[in-house]
Amino acid sequence: MRHPLHPALVHFPIACWSLATVADLASLVGGEPAWRLAGVLLVAGIGFAIPAMLAGFLELAKVAEDNPAIKDVNRHMIVVMCALAFYTASLFLRLQGTHLIEPGLLAIGMSVLGFLFLAAAGWLGGKLVYGHRLGVSPP
């Protein structure tokens, strides 16, 4: 495959996690329907993140150690793994066994922190493509 798979897969966890954070904040006024939706979106986002991250690791293997982009590649990877960690923590804080329960402020805070790291990871990903031209075919 000529086109990198990673950029095609990242849209799913980004959408799920972003909407989960919005639903978490909406649950502060909207109650149960919003926090239940947030929980389901967290599960989906984490599930979609696994293949996206695996594809990212495959792309990482193609970047030479002396490439000037390698520092930004590593930053991108670390920041997105932090986002995954915050969203996963948020999910575990709202689970009782296998059942979703109403999230506390800590769980919602973890979701917000996850979103901030997700936004930073997206910015770094854009820098890799548009600044360093990684994954872009030569003209």
Side-chain angles (χ1 to χ4, degrees):
M1 180 192 279
R2 287 192 215 173
H3 184 281
L5 189 56
H6 178 69
L9 296 176
V10 298
H11 299 287
F12 300 103
I14 289 170
C16 289
W17 285 342
S18 298
L19 291 171
T21 302
V22 169
D24 269 342
L25 295 174
S27 76
L28 297 173
V29 291
E32 185 174 351
W35 63 254
R36 285 206 181 274
L37 175 62
V40 170
L41 287 167
L42 286 174
V43 171
I46 292 166
F48 285 129
I50 304 305
M53 289 176 139
L54 290 173
F57 281 125
L58 292 175
E59 293 303 313
L60 172 62
K62 298 176 188 176
V63 180
E65 287 290 324
D66 61 344
N67 189 317
I70 199 70
K71 285 184 182 179
D72 285 330
V73 169
N74 289 328
R75 284 185 193 113
H76 172 70
M77 181 176 59
I78 290 167
V79 172
V80 80
M81 290 172 88
C82 289
L84 172 64
F86 281 119
Y87 279 120
T88 302
S90 180
L91 176 63
F92 280 121
L93 287 169
R94 64 183 78 214
L95 285 176
Q96 189 171 49
T98 58
H99 300 294
L100 287 170
I101 60 170
E102 183 175 6
L105 289 179
L106 181 59
I108 293 172
M110 291 286 166
S111 180
V112 171
L113 283 171
F115 179 77
L116 295 174
F117 275 85
L118 182 65
W123 182 83
L124 284 166
K127 184 177 179 186
L128 292 172
V129 172
Y130 297 108
H132 294 290
R133 310 287 297 160
L134 286 184
V136 176
S137 299

